[in-house]
Amino acid sequence: MNRTEFAILGLLGQGPKSGYDIKRLVEERLSHFWNESVGHIYPILRRLHERGWVEKRVTPSESRPPRHEYALTVAGRRELERWFTEPVAPVPPRNELLLRVFLGAMAPAGAVAAQVAAYRERRLSEMKRLESVAAELERAARADPEFVWWRMTLSAGIHAARSAVAWCDEVLPDLTKKPTENGEVA
Amino acid sequence: MNRTEFAILGLLGQGPKSGYDIKRLVEERLSHFWNESVGHIYPILRRLHERGWVEKRVTPSESRPPRHEYALTVAGRRELERWFTEPVAPVPPRNELLLRVFLGAMAPAGAVAAQVAAYRERRLSEMKRLESVAAELERAARADPEFVWWRMTLSAGIHAARSAVAWCDEVLPDLTKKPTENGEVA
DNA sequence: ATTTGCATGTAAAATGTTACATGATTGC
DNA sequence: GCAATCATGTAACATTTTACATGCAAAT
């Protein structure tokens, strides 16, 4: 069983949803640590249905396409709880920026520095964005039962972004001073 | 053009290699930020050859299978240099641990805490391992022209691992005290 | 004796992304 | 009038992993 299936099963655990609901929810709340592509959600929902982990209810509508809503079954919830105790599968890393850094000796002058600087920008703005989301959450959603969990994932994102920026600040001086000393292409 | 092609092109930029050489090099030096599966390397090498970016030299041997060695061509090196200036494609995140944390409200009691504790262990030992590799490198390879670049990638790994541990230490108290208050399944 | 390392590759499966197809509604 | 949002889904493609297939040499 794959990761997408569990992600969707988990989101349905919070209440019945349509494929489109799932897509939006992932974009709005989970985007700093998860993503789902639309073309993947619908086939997975069907598979979950075939296995009896979700049930489907179609609500017709005059003005729009009928709404296909999926809800967890008892078997689905059991499966979901099992997943929580299953060890997280390690993801083999693939970091394109670090690949460029590692191979930096053969890069055109300044290219790696520019990449790291751009990366720093991205991570810094990500950090600020997450901090403002967290502040807003703290203000508006303390009573929400999801609150504590959501805050933890935001904090994870902030920690990661902050440490990425710190690394950039550490290496950027070495990358910008006298590039040829590092053996780069002149 | 995909990421594996550039990774292999880049490693060949450091000198001619066989498929097996590439596999070993990735495992030994790049494993904290990159991976390649064997089944992928050989087809890619052939593709690079078809495009004229690498040239192939087969050295026969009595006792072993012939060694197929690949080396960058001029066109290959040009392509590689182009890649350095190309913006890094953002990777859509998929963090299974954070997915579990986000959905923590419906987890069996203590399950999320156990996952985070296990994750902390993994990241802490990763951090120690990278620190010792870095120390060894500092001692043995300062003269190596690759040294500065390699050190930067190690530092990135150390920063990331350290910050992950810090996050775990931040959230673990909340996860272990009075689990039912967080709305978990009892 | 058996495992590990050297060394090449192929084939099938899984996973996931992108583009396409359709069409109404709502807001600007 | 036009773009965005709502809403469903399919099909083709790309990417990557896993398993298979082979076989010698060296070390334990």
Side-chain angles (χ1 to χ4, degrees), chain A residues 4 14 33 35-36 83-84 86 92-96 100-101 106 115 149 152 155 159 167 170, chain B residues 3-4 14 33 35-36 83-84 86 92-95 100-101 106 115 149 152 155 159 167 170 182:
Chain A
T4 300
Q14 298 187 336
F33 67 88
N35 84 96
E36 287 301 340
W83 168 75
F84 272 105
E86 214 173 66
R94 297 204 112 192
N95 186 319
E96 264 202 77
R100 283 172 171 82
V101 172
M106 61 191 93
Q115 293 280 5
W149 309 99
M152 287 183 211
S155 175
H159 271 84
W167 172 77
E170 179 190 296
Chain B
R3 301 174 307 166
T4 300
Q14 298 187 336
F33 66 88
N35 84 94
E36 286 302 340
W83 169 77
F84 272 104
E86 214 172 67
R94 297 204 113 192
N95 186 321
R100 283 171 171 84
V101 171
M106 62 191 92
Q115 293 280 4
W149 309 98
M152 288 184 211
S155 175
H159 271 85
W167 172 77
E170 178 189 298
N182 292 331

Side-chain angles (χ1 to χ4, degrees), chain A residues 105-166:
Chain A
M106 61 191 93
V112 175
Q115 293 280 5
V116 172
Y119 176 69
R120 184 185 189 281
E121 278 301 292
R122 289 198 297 276
R123 298 313 304 263
L124 186 65
S125 73
E126 167 82 349
M127 182 182 118
K128 284 178 180 162
R129 192 181 66 81
L130 292 180
E131 276 173 347
S132 81
V133 173
E136 169 63 17
L137 186 75
E138 207 78 36
R139 214 180 45 69
R142 293 203 77 129
D144 195 313
E146 311 289 327
F147 169 72
V148 276
W149 309 99
W150 193 359
R151 184 175 52 177
M152 287 183 211
T153 66
L154 282 170
S155 175
I158 294 166
H159 271 84
R162 185 172 19 233
S163 118
V165 171

Side-chain angles (χ1 to χ4, degrees), chain B residues 26-37:
Chain B
V26 170
E27 269 170 20
E28 278 168 28
R29 297 246 239 273
L30 284 67
S31 61
H32 61 293
F33 66 88
W34 202 261
N35 84 94
E36 286 302 340
S37 53

